[in-house]
PDB file of all heavy atoms in Angstrom:
ATOM      1  N   SER A   1      -3.555  -3.820 -12.313  1.00  0.00           N
ATOM      2  CA  SER A   1      -3.915  -4.588 -11.134  1.00  0.00           C
ATOM      3  C   SER A   1      -2.733  -5.247 -10.475  1.00  0.00           C
ATOM      4  O   SER A   1      -2.666  -5.303  -9.205  1.00  0.00           O
ATOM      5  CB  SER A   1      -4.924  -5.604 -11.557  1.00  0.00           C
ATOM      6  OG  SER A   1      -4.434  -6.556 -12.534  1.00  0.00           O
ATOM      7  N   ASP A   2      -1.746  -5.673 -11.259  1.00  0.00           N
ATOM      8  CA  ASP A   2      -0.585  -6.299 -10.670  1.00  0.00           C
ATOM      9  C   ASP A   2       0.248  -5.232  -9.914  1.00  0.00           C
ATOM     10  O   ASP A   2       0.782  -5.559  -8.885  1.00  0.00           O
ATOM     11  CB  ASP A   2       0.316  -6.922 -11.748  1.00  0.00           C
ATOM     12  CG  ASP A   2      -0.260  -8.306 -12.180  1.00  0.00           C
ATOM     13  OD1 ASP A   2      -1.117  -8.738 -11.572  1.00  0.00           O
ATOM     14  OD2 ASP A   2       0.261  -8.808 -13.263  1.00  0.00           O
ATOM     15  N   ALA A   3       0.314  -4.035 -10.427  1.00  0.00           N
ATOM     16  CA  ALA A   3       1.054  -2.967  -9.804  1.00  0.00           C
ATOM     17  C   ALA A   3       0.509  -2.665  -8.370  1.00  0.00           C
ATOM     18  O   ALA A   3       1.248  -2.520  -7.374  1.00  0.00           O
ATOM     19  CB  ALA A   3       1.071  -1.679 -10.564  1.00  0.00           C
ATOM     20  N   THR A   4      -0.845  -2.663  -8.246  1.00  0.00           N
ATOM     21  CA  THR A   4      -1.431  -2.424  -6.957  1.00  0.00           C
ATOM     22  C   THR A   4      -1.159  -3.621  -5.994  1.00  0.00           C
ATOM     23  O   THR A   4      -0.992  -3.386  -4.820  1.00  0.00           O
ATOM     24  CB  THR A   4      -2.949  -2.158  -7.096  1.00  0.00           C
ATOM     25  OG1 THR A   4      -3.597  -3.237  -7.800  1.00  0.00           O
ATOM     26  CG2 THR A   4      -3.201  -0.896  -7.866  1.00  0.00           C
ATOM     27  N   ARG A   5      -1.204  -4.805  -6.502  1.00  0.00           N
ATOM     28  CA  ARG A   5      -0.913  -6.018  -5.730  1.00  0.00           C
ATOM     29  C   ARG A   5       0.512  -5.978  -5.161  1.00  0.00           C
ATOM     30  O   ARG A   5       0.807  -6.246  -4.064  1.00  0.00           O
ATOM     31  CB  ARG A   5      -1.177  -7.286  -6.466  1.00  0.00           C
ATOM     32  CG  ARG A   5      -2.651  -7.587  -6.778  1.00  0.00           C
ATOM     33  CD  ARG A   5      -2.702  -8.869  -7.573  1.00  0.00           C
ATOM     34  NE  ARG A   5      -2.178 -10.045  -6.768  1.00  0.00           N
ATOM     35  CZ  ARG A   5      -1.890 -11.205  -7.295  1.00  0.00           C
ATOM     36  NH1 ARG A   5      -2.023 -11.380  -8.645  1.00  0.00           N
ATOM     37  NH2 ARG A   5      -1.393 -12.190  -6.594  1.00  0.00           N
ATOM     38  N   ILE A   6       1.491  -5.589  -6.051  1.00  0.00           N
ATOM     39  CA  ILE A   6       2.828  -5.536  -5.684  1.00  0.00           C
ATOM     40  C   ILE A   6       3.032  -4.468  -4.544  1.00  0.00           C
ATOM     41  O   ILE A   6       3.836  -4.726  -3.654  1.00  0.00           O
ATOM     42  CB  ILE A   6       3.715  -5.140  -6.917  1.00  0.00           C
ATOM     43  CG1 ILE A   6       3.711  -6.273  -7.925  1.00  0.00           C
ATOM     44  CG2 ILE A   6       5.166  -4.846  -6.487  1.00  0.00           C
ATOM     45  CD1 ILE A   6       4.158  -5.878  -9.312  1.00  0.00           C
ATOM     46  N   MET A   7       2.324  -3.407  -4.634  1.00  0.00           N
ATOM     47  CA  MET A   7       2.402  -2.354  -3.592  1.00  0.00           C
ATOM     48  C   MET A   7       1.666  -2.762  -2.375  1.00  0.00           C
ATOM     49  O   MET A   7       1.661  -1.956  -1.420  1.00  0.00           O
ATOM     50  CB  MET A   7       1.951  -1.029  -4.127  1.00  0.00           C
ATOM     51  CG  MET A   7       2.841  -0.442  -5.239  1.00  0.00           C
ATOM     52  SD  MET A   7       2.397   1.242  -5.690  1.00  0.00           S
ATOM     53  CE  MET A   7       0.805   1.014  -6.476  1.00  0.00           C
ATOM     54  N   GLY A   8       0.965  -3.881  -2.349  1.00  0.00           N
ATOM     55  CA  GLY A   8       0.222  -4.321  -1.147  1.00  0.00           C
ATOM     56  C   GLY A   8      -1.092  -3.569  -1.001  1.00  0.00           C
ATOM     57  O   GLY A   8      -1.586  -3.491   0.074  1.00  0.00           O
ATOM     58  N   GLU A   9      -1.641  -3.157  -2.071  1.00  0.00           N
ATOM     59  CA  GLU A   9      -2.914  -2.449  -2.136  1.00  0.00           C
ATOM     60  C   GLU A   9      -3.969  -3.203  -2.800  1.00  0.00           C
ATOM     61  O   GLU A   9      -3.755  -4.108  -3.625  1.00  0.00           O
ATOM     62  CB  GLU A   9      -2.777  -1.038  -2.762  1.00  0.00           C
ATOM     63  CG  GLU A   9      -1.725  -0.123  -2.223  1.00  0.00           C
ATOM     64  CD  GLU A   9      -2.060   0.392  -0.879  1.00  0.00           C
ATOM     65  OE1 GLU A   9      -3.133   0.185  -0.422  1.00  0.00           O
ATOM     66  OE2 GLU A   9      -1.185   1.033  -0.214  1.00  0.00           O
ATOM     67  N   SER A  10      -5.295  -2.843  -2.500  1.00  0.00           N
ATOM     68  CA  SER A  10      -6.440  -3.481  -3.167  1.00  0.00           C
ATOM     69  C   SER A  10      -6.724  -2.679  -4.396  1.00  0.00           C
ATOM     70  O   SER A  10      -6.871  -1.479  -4.416  1.00  0.00           O
ATOM     71  CB  SER A  10      -7.618  -3.475  -2.242  1.00  0.00           C
ATOM     72  OG  SER A  10      -8.793  -3.852  -2.893  1.00  0.00           O
ATOM     73  N   THR A  11      -6.870  -3.409  -5.532  1.00  0.00           N
ATOM     74  CA  THR A  11      -7.221  -2.727  -6.781  1.00  0.00           C
ATOM     75  C   THR A  11      -8.487  -1.977  -6.728  1.00  0.00           C
ATOM     76  O   THR A  11      -8.604  -0.871  -7.240  1.00  0.00           O
ATOM     77  CB  THR A  11      -7.381  -3.781  -7.902  1.00  0.00           C
ATOM     78  OG1 THR A  11      -6.133  -4.575  -7.918  1.00  0.00           O
ATOM     79  CG2 THR A  11      -7.605  -3.123  -9.253  1.00  0.00           C
ATOM     80  N   SER A  12      -9.486  -2.487  -5.994  1.00  0.00           N
ATOM     81  CA  SER A  12     -10.806  -1.777  -5.919  1.00  0.00           C
ATOM     82  C   SER A  12     -10.726  -0.412  -5.151  1.00  0.00           C
ATOM     83  O   SER A  12     -11.527   0.430  -5.381  1.00  0.00           O
ATOM     84  CB  SER A  12     -11.785  -2.699  -5.173  1.00  0.00           C
ATOM     85  OG  SER A  12     -11.333  -2.954  -3.885  1.00  0.00           O
ATOM     86  N   ASN A  13      -9.674  -0.257  -4.379  1.00  0.00           N
ATOM     87  CA  ASN A  13      -9.577   1.016  -3.635  1.00  0.00           C
ATOM     88  C   ASN A  13      -8.565   1.933  -4.292  1.00  0.00           C
ATOM     89  O   ASN A  13      -8.363   3.055  -3.831  1.00  0.00           O
ATOM     90  CB  ASN A  13      -9.024   0.649  -2.216  1.00  0.00           C
ATOM     91  CG  ASN A  13     -10.013  -0.133  -1.408  1.00  0.00           C
ATOM     92  OD1 ASN A  13     -11.211  -0.004  -1.621  1.00  0.00           O
ATOM     93  ND2 ASN A  13      -9.531  -0.941  -0.476  1.00  0.00           N
ATOM     94  N   ARG A  14      -8.012   1.564  -5.407  1.00  0.00           N
ATOM     95  CA  ARG A  14      -7.049   2.436  -6.085  1.00  0.00           C
ATOM     96  C   ARG A  14      -7.495   2.762  -7.448  1.00  0.00           C
ATOM     97  O   ARG A  14      -7.442   1.938  -8.387  1.00  0.00           O
ATOM     98  CB  ARG A  14      -5.685   1.746  -6.166  1.00  0.00           C
ATOM     99  CG  ARG A  14      -5.079   1.477  -4.817  1.00  0.00           C
ATOM    100  CD  ARG A  14      -4.866   2.741  -4.028  1.00  0.00           C
ATOM    101  NE  ARG A  14      -4.302   2.486  -2.684  1.00  0.00           N
ATOM    102  CZ  ARG A  14      -4.200   3.415  -1.764  1.00  0.00           C
ATOM    103  NH1 ARG A  14      -4.683   4.629  -1.965  1.00  0.00           N
ATOM    104  NH2 ARG A  14      -3.659   3.176  -0.606  1.00  0.00           N
ATOM    105  N   LYS A  15      -7.933   3.979  -7.685  1.00  0.00           N
ATOM    106  CA  LYS A  15      -8.389   4.446  -8.985  1.00  0.00           C
ATOM    107  C   LYS A  15      -7.188   4.700  -9.884  1.00  0.00           C
ATOM    108  O   LYS A  15      -6.078   4.885  -9.439  1.00  0.00           O
ATOM    109  CB  LYS A  15      -9.225   5.682  -8.869  1.00  0.00           C
ATOM    110  CG  LYS A  15     -10.454   5.529  -7.989  1.00  0.00           C
ATOM    111  CD  LYS A  15     -11.443   4.483  -8.564  1.00  0.00           C
ATOM    112  CE  LYS A  15     -12.643   4.312  -7.685  1.00  0.00           C
ATOM    113  NZ  LYS A  15     -13.556   3.303  -8.158  1.00  0.00           N
ATOM    114  N   TYR A  16      -7.469   4.821 -11.141  1.00  0.00           N
ATOM    115  CA  TYR A  16      -6.343   5.013 -12.103  1.00  0.00           C
ATOM    116  C   TYR A  16      -5.539   6.298 -11.822  1.00  0.00           C
ATOM    117  O   TYR A  16      -4.348   6.242 -11.832  1.00  0.00           O
ATOM    118  CB  TYR A  16      -6.942   5.064 -13.576  1.00  0.00           C
ATOM    119  CG  TYR A  16      -6.032   5.670 -14.540  1.00  0.00           C
ATOM    120  CD1 TYR A  16      -4.904   4.848 -15.022  1.00  0.00           C
ATOM    121  CD2 TYR A  16      -6.175   6.989 -14.989  1.00  0.00           C
ATOM    122  CE1 TYR A  16      -4.042   5.434 -15.958  1.00  0.00           C
ATOM    123  CE2 TYR A  16      -5.260   7.500 -15.954  1.00  0.00           C
ATOM    124  CZ  TYR A  16      -4.171   6.763 -16.361  1.00  0.00           C
ATOM    125  OH  TYR A  16      -3.308   7.286 -17.262  1.00  0.00           O
ATOM    126  N   GLU A  17      -6.290   7.429 -11.527  1.00  0.00           N
ATOM    127  CA  GLU A  17      -5.541   8.654 -11.297  1.00  0.00           C
ATOM    128  C   GLU A  17      -4.675   8.625 -10.074  1.00  0.00           C
ATOM    129  O   GLU A  17      -3.545   9.180 -10.110  1.00  0.00           O
ATOM    130  CB  GLU A  17      -6.573   9.803 -11.167  1.00  0.00           C
ATOM    131  CG  GLU A  17      -7.176  10.266 -12.450  1.00  0.00           C
ATOM    132  CD  GLU A  17      -6.233  10.727 -13.528  1.00  0.00           C
ATOM    133  OE1 GLU A  17      -5.184  11.315 -13.039  1.00  0.00           O
ATOM    134  OE2 GLU A  17      -6.411  10.496 -14.702  1.00  0.00           O
ATOM    135  N   TYR A  18      -5.041   7.856  -9.110  1.00  0.00           N
ATOM    136  CA  TYR A  18      -4.218   7.719  -7.898  1.00  0.00           C
ATOM    137  C   TYR A  18      -2.993   6.922  -8.206  1.00  0.00           C
ATOM    138  O   TYR A  18      -1.833   7.267  -7.793  1.00  0.00           O
ATOM    139  CB  TYR A  18      -5.023   6.965  -6.698  1.00  0.00           C
ATOM    140  CG  TYR A  18      -4.180   6.835  -5.492  1.00  0.00           C
ATOM    141  CD1 TYR A  18      -4.255   7.869  -4.527  1.00  0.00           C
ATOM    142  CD2 TYR A  18      -3.356   5.780  -5.293  1.00  0.00           C
ATOM    143  CE1 TYR A  18      -3.479   7.733  -3.360  1.00  0.00           C
ATOM    144  CE2 TYR A  18      -2.590   5.645  -4.138  1.00  0.00           C
ATOM    145  CZ  TYR A  18      -2.668   6.649  -3.163  1.00  0.00           C
ATOM    146  OH  TYR A  18      -1.916   6.526  -2.056  1.00  0.00           O
ATOM    147  N   LEU A  19      -3.116   5.885  -9.001  1.00  0.00           N
ATOM    148  CA  LEU A  19      -1.949   5.025  -9.323  1.00  0.00           C
ATOM    149  C   LEU A  19      -1.011   5.886 -10.205  1.00  0.00           C
ATOM    150  O   LEU A  19       0.230   5.815 -10.087  1.00  0.00           O
ATOM    151  CB  LEU A  19      -2.414   3.762 -10.136  1.00  0.00           C
ATOM    152  CG  LEU A  19      -1.219   2.883 -10.592  1.00  0.00           C
ATOM    153  CD1 LEU A  19      -0.489   2.308  -9.436  1.00  0.00           C
ATOM    154  CD2 LEU A  19      -1.855   1.747 -11.431  1.00  0.00           C
ATOM    155  N   ARG A  20      -1.615   6.580 -11.235  1.00  0.00           N
ATOM    156  CA  ARG A  20      -0.795   7.431 -12.054  1.00  0.00           C
ATOM    157  C   ARG A  20      -0.028   8.446 -11.233  1.00  0.00           C
ATOM    158  O   ARG A  20       1.201   8.660 -11.478  1.00  0.00           O
ATOM    159  CB  ARG A  20      -1.743   8.192 -13.007  1.00  0.00           C
ATOM    160  CG  ARG A  20      -1.017   9.116 -14.067  1.00  0.00           C
ATOM    161  CD  ARG A  20      -2.076   9.722 -14.970  1.00  0.00           C
ATOM    162  NE  ARG A  20      -1.523  10.562 -15.917  1.00  0.00           N
ATOM    163  CZ  ARG A  20      -1.280  11.885 -15.784  1.00  0.00           C
ATOM    164  NH1 ARG A  20      -1.667  12.434 -14.597  1.00  0.00           N
ATOM    165  NH2 ARG A  20      -0.769  12.659 -16.705  1.00  0.00           N
ATOM    166  N   LYS A  21      -0.598   9.079 -10.248  1.00  0.00           N
ATOM    167  CA  LYS A  21       0.096  10.031  -9.389  1.00  0.00           C
ATOM    168  C   LYS A  21       1.207   9.298  -8.608  1.00  0.00           C
ATOM    169  O   LYS A  21       2.360   9.813  -8.475  1.00  0.00           O
ATOM    170  CB  LYS A  21      -0.883  10.651  -8.422  1.00  0.00           C
ATOM    171  CG  LYS A  21      -0.250  11.652  -7.422  1.00  0.00           C
ATOM    172  CD  LYS A  21      -1.250  12.267  -6.541  1.00  0.00           C
ATOM    173  CE  LYS A  21      -0.653  13.221  -5.549  1.00  0.00           C
ATOM    174  NZ  LYS A  21      -1.607  13.802  -4.583  1.00  0.00           N
ATOM    175  N   THR A  22       0.895   8.141  -8.098  1.00  0.00           N
ATOM    176  CA  THR A  22       1.877   7.355  -7.320  1.00  0.00           C
ATOM    177  C   THR A  22       3.134   6.969  -8.189  1.00  0.00           C
ATOM    178  O   THR A  22       4.242   7.171  -7.742  1.00  0.00           O
ATOM    179  CB  THR A  22       1.292   6.046  -6.816  1.00  0.00           C
ATOM    180  OG1 THR A  22       0.209   6.456  -5.902  1.00  0.00           O
ATOM    181  CG2 THR A  22       2.282   5.284  -5.997  1.00  0.00           C
ATOM    182  N   ILE A  23       2.887   6.518  -9.341  1.00  0.00           N
ATOM    183  CA  ILE A  23       3.988   6.119 -10.251  1.00  0.00           C
ATOM    184  C   ILE A  23       4.870   7.330 -10.664  1.00  0.00           C
ATOM    185  O   ILE A  23       6.051   7.274 -10.693  1.00  0.00           O
ATOM    186  CB  ILE A  23       3.434   5.382 -11.538  1.00  0.00           C
ATOM    187  CG1 ILE A  23       2.779   4.098 -11.181  1.00  0.00           C
ATOM    188  CG2 ILE A  23       4.577   5.133 -12.532  1.00  0.00           C
ATOM    189  CD1 ILE A  23       3.661   3.131 -10.439  1.00  0.00           C
ATOM    190  N   PHE A  24       4.233   8.416 -10.961  1.00  0.00           N
ATOM    191  CA  PHE A  24       4.947   9.648 -11.296  1.00  0.00           C
ATOM    192  C   PHE A  24       5.809  10.165 -10.103  1.00  0.00           C
ATOM    193  O   PHE A  24       6.880  10.674 -10.302  1.00  0.00           O
ATOM    194  CB  PHE A  24       4.006  10.757 -11.838  1.00  0.00           C
ATOM    195  CG  PHE A  24       3.519  10.469 -13.190  1.00  0.00           C
ATOM    196  CD1 PHE A  24       2.523  11.268 -13.782  1.00  0.00           C
ATOM    197  CD2 PHE A  24       3.984   9.411 -13.905  1.00  0.00           C
ATOM    198  CE1 PHE A  24       2.073  11.066 -15.037  1.00  0.00           C
ATOM    199  CE2 PHE A  24       3.523   9.246 -15.292  1.00  0.00           C
ATOM    200  CZ  PHE A  24       2.534  10.013 -15.805  1.00  0.00           C
ATOM    201  N   GLN A  25       5.224   9.998  -8.906  1.00  0.00           N
ATOM    202  CA  GLN A  25       6.019  10.351  -7.716  1.00  0.00           C
ATOM    203  C   GLN A  25       7.286   9.521  -7.581  1.00  0.00           C
ATOM    204  O   GLN A  25       8.317   9.991  -7.110  1.00  0.00           O
ATOM    205  CB  GLN A  25       5.158  10.237  -6.477  1.00  0.00           C
ATOM    206  CG  GLN A  25       4.119  11.315  -6.308  1.00  0.00           C
ATOM    207  CD  GLN A  25       3.214  11.179  -5.137  1.00  0.00           C
ATOM    208  OE1 GLN A  25       3.135  10.024  -4.558  1.00  0.00           O
ATOM    209  NE2 GLN A  25       2.672  12.198  -4.678  1.00  0.00           N
ATOM    210  N   MET A  26       7.163   8.239  -8.077  1.00  0.00           N
ATOM    211  CA  MET A  26       8.353   7.395  -7.994  1.00  0.00           C
ATOM    212  C   MET A  26       9.487   7.921  -8.780  1.00  0.00           C
ATOM    213  O   MET A  26      10.674   7.775  -8.455  1.00  0.00           O
ATOM    214  CB  MET A  26       7.992   5.973  -8.500  1.00  0.00           C
ATOM    215  CG  MET A  26       7.010   5.182  -7.561  1.00  0.00           C
ATOM    216  SD  MET A  26       7.880   4.692  -5.998  1.00  0.00           S
ATOM    217  CE  MET A  26       9.023   3.416  -6.617  1.00  0.00           C
ATOM    218  N   GLN A  27       9.214   8.595  -9.918  1.00  0.00           N
ATOM    219  CA  GLN A  27      10.288   9.186 -10.723  1.00  0.00           C
ATOM    220  C   GLN A  27      10.973  10.330 -10.024  1.00  0.00           C
ATOM    221  O   GLN A  27      12.060  10.649 -10.428  1.00  0.00           O
ATOM    222  CB  GLN A  27       9.658   9.640 -12.125  1.00  0.00           C
ATOM    223  CG  GLN A  27      10.754   9.791 -13.168  1.00  0.00           C
ATOM    224  CD  GLN A  27      10.136   9.893 -14.542  1.00  0.00           C
ATOM    225  OE1 GLN A  27       8.973  10.284 -14.703  1.00  0.00           O
ATOM    226  NE2 GLN A  27      10.938   9.648 -15.527  1.00  0.00           N
ATOM    227  N   GLU A  28      10.307  10.879  -9.042  1.00  0.00           N
ATOM    228  CA  GLU A  28      10.965  11.933  -8.217  1.00  0.00           C
ATOM    229  C   GLU A  28      11.690  11.455  -7.072  1.00  0.00           C
ATOM    230  O   GLU A  28      12.347  12.343  -6.405  1.00  0.00           O
ATOM    231  CB  GLU A  28       9.793  12.922  -7.827  1.00  0.00           C
ATOM    232  CG  GLU A  28       9.058  13.607  -8.998  1.00  0.00           C
ATOM    233  CD  GLU A  28       7.840  14.342  -8.558  1.00  0.00           C
ATOM    234  OE1 GLU A  28       7.632  14.441  -7.301  1.00  0.00           O
ATOM    235  OE2 GLU A  28       7.202  14.948  -9.444  1.00  0.00           O
ATOM    236  N   ARG A  29      11.626  10.210  -6.739  1.00  0.00           N
ATOM    237  CA  ARG A  29      12.360   9.672  -5.643  1.00  0.00           C
ATOM    238  C   ARG A  29      13.820   9.428  -6.118  1.00  0.00           C
ATOM    239  O   ARG A  29      14.097   9.028  -7.180  1.00  0.00           O
ATOM    240  CB  ARG A  29      11.792   8.328  -5.185  1.00  0.00           C
ATOM    241  CG  ARG A  29      10.301   8.436  -4.742  1.00  0.00           C
ATOM    242  CD  ARG A  29      10.131   9.359  -3.511  1.00  0.00           C
ATOM    243  NE  ARG A  29       8.801   9.253  -3.015  1.00  0.00           N
ATOM    244  CZ  ARG A  29       7.994  10.278  -2.745  1.00  0.00           C
ATOM    245  NH1 ARG A  29       8.429  11.527  -3.086  1.00  0.00           N
ATOM    246  NH2 ARG A  29       6.810  10.115  -2.218  1.00  0.00           N
ATOM    247  N   PHE A  30      14.738   9.722  -5.183  1.00  0.00           N
ATOM    248  CA  PHE A  30      16.179   9.617  -5.534  1.00  0.00           C
ATOM    249  C   PHE A  30      16.965   8.879  -4.479  1.00  0.00           C
ATOM    250  O   PHE A  30      16.495   8.721  -3.353  1.00  0.00           O
ATOM    251  CB  PHE A  30      16.699  10.974  -5.812  1.00  0.00           C
ATOM    252  CG  PHE A  30      16.491  11.931  -4.645  1.00  0.00           C
ATOM    253  CD1 PHE A  30      17.421  11.968  -3.597  1.00  0.00           C
ATOM    254  CD2 PHE A  30      15.443  12.780  -4.544  1.00  0.00           C
ATOM    255  CE1 PHE A  30      17.270  12.826  -2.489  1.00  0.00           C
ATOM    256  CE2 PHE A  30      15.222  13.670  -3.449  1.00  0.00           C
ATOM    257  CZ  PHE A  30      16.165  13.648  -2.486  1.00  0.00           C
ATOM    258  N   VAL A  31      18.167   8.588  -4.815  1.00  0.00           N
ATOM    259  CA  VAL A  31      19.144   8.011  -3.867  1.00  0.00           C
ATOM    260  C   VAL A  31      20.497   8.697  -3.966  1.00  0.00           C
ATOM    261  O   VAL A  31      20.875   9.106  -5.131  1.00  0.00           O
ATOM    262  CB  VAL A  31      19.316   6.480  -4.170  1.00  0.00           C
ATOM    263  CG1 VAL A  31      19.684   6.187  -5.626  1.00  0.00           C
ATOM    264  CG2 VAL A  31      20.311   5.807  -3.234  1.00  0.00           C
ATOM    265  N   TYR A  32      21.077   8.904  -2.869  1.00  0.00           N
ATOM    266  CA  TYR A  32      22.414   9.441  -2.882  1.00  0.00           C
ATOM    267  C   TYR A  32      23.415   8.339  -3.158  1.00  0.00           C
ATOM    268  O   TYR A  32      23.483   7.386  -2.310  1.00  0.00           O
ATOM    269  CB  TYR A  32      22.747  10.180  -1.537  1.00  0.00           C
ATOM    270  CG  TYR A  32      22.017  11.475  -1.329  1.00  0.00           C
ATOM    271  CD1 TYR A  32      20.821  11.510  -0.650  1.00  0.00           C
ATOM    272  CD2 TYR A  32      22.514  12.655  -1.816  1.00  0.00           C
ATOM    273  CE1 TYR A  32      20.138  12.733  -0.443  1.00  0.00           C
ATOM    274  CE2 TYR A  32      21.844  13.865  -1.625  1.00  0.00           C
ATOM    275  CZ  TYR A  32      20.683  13.863  -0.929  1.00  0.00           C
ATOM    276  OH  TYR A  32      19.987  15.029  -0.700  1.00  0.00           O
ATOM    277  N   LEU A  33      24.179   8.442  -4.203  1.00  0.00           N
ATOM    278  CA  LEU A  33      25.071   7.352  -4.527  1.00  0.00           C
ATOM    279  C   LEU A  33      26.179   7.187  -3.436  1.00  0.00           C
ATOM    280  O   LEU A  33      26.706   8.205  -2.960  1.00  0.00           O
ATOM    281  CB  LEU A  33      25.840   7.645  -5.872  1.00  0.00           C
ATOM    282  CG  LEU A  33      24.914   7.709  -7.102  1.00  0.00           C
ATOM    283  CD1 LEU A  33      25.709   7.918  -8.396  1.00  0.00           C
ATOM    284  CD2 LEU A  33      24.032   6.517  -7.203  1.00  0.00           C
ATOM    285  N   PRO A  34      26.514   5.943  -3.115  1.00  0.00           N
ATOM    286  CA  PRO A  34      27.433   5.691  -2.026  1.00  0.00           C
ATOM    287  C   PRO A  34      28.748   6.271  -2.340  1.00  0.00           C
ATOM    288  O   PRO A  34      29.368   6.064  -3.323  1.00  0.00           O
ATOM    289  CB  PRO A  34      27.454   4.186  -1.930  1.00  0.00           C
ATOM    290  CG  PRO A  34      26.212   3.694  -2.544  1.00  0.00           C
ATOM    291  CD  PRO A  34      25.903   4.734  -3.656  1.00  0.00           C
TER     292      PRO A  34
END
């Protein structure tokens, strides 16, 4: 529930599988080192 609040989302509108997919996508996000 805190994770969804941090992302600015409503817990009631975010099912577990959606959150799981979102978090796993975060591991695929990258940054080019300066």
Side-chain angles (χ1 to χ4, degrees):
S1 59
D2 283 349
T4 55
R5 288 180 63 196
I6 292 163
M7 292 188 295
E9 303 288 353
S10 170
T11 304
S12 60
N13 294 330
R14 298 298 181 191
K15 302 297 184 182
Y16 165 76
E17 286 301 327
Y18 182 91
L19 178 64
R20 181 175 179 272
K21 179 181 178 181
T22 299
I23 296 301
F24 286 173
Q25 285 177 341
M26 288 291 291
Q27 199 169 21
E28 299 173 358
R29 302 297 190 233
F30 56 84
V31 55
Y32 288 95
L33 296 185

